[in-house]
């Protein structure tokens, strides 16, 4: 019984997203966000890891 209700709610949600989502996608086509490339992300992670390593090495041992 709960699965049937969940299926109906999911179908209604999918129909709502389909009708509203297409209108929203048309609005956002003109404004596309810049997404960084994979190498930029790798470089950022490497720089962060290196900074953490330098910080850890500079802390005196107890």
């Amino acid at each position: 019984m709960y699965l049937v209700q969940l299926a109906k709610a999911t179908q209604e949600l999918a129909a709502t997203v389909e009708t509203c989502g297409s209108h929203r996608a048309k609005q956002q086509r003109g404004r596309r966000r810049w997404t960084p490339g994979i190498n930029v992300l790798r470089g950022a992670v490497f720089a962060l890891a290196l900074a953490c390593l330098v910080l850890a090495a500079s802390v005196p041992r107890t």
Side-chain angles (χ1 to χ4, degrees):
M1 182 164 149
Y2 293 113
L3 291 177
V4 174
Q5 291 175 347
L6 181 62
K8 288 179 183 178
T10 305
Q11 287 177 347
E12 291 175 8
L13 180 62
T16 303
V17 167
E18 187 175 318
T19 57
C20 296
S22 62
H23 182 266
R24 187 174 187 148
K26 288 179 183 176
Q27 288 178 343
Q28 290 184 351
R29 272 192 196 140
R31 298 181 294 163
R32 189 171 179 187
R33 281 184 37 182
W34 176 79
T35 55
I38 188 70
N39 288 334
V40 174
L41 293 175
R42 285 178 180 163
V45 169
F46 177 75
L48 181 64
L50 188 62
C52 289
L53 184 66
V54 169
L55 180 68
S58 66
V59 175
R61 293 184 185 176
T62 57

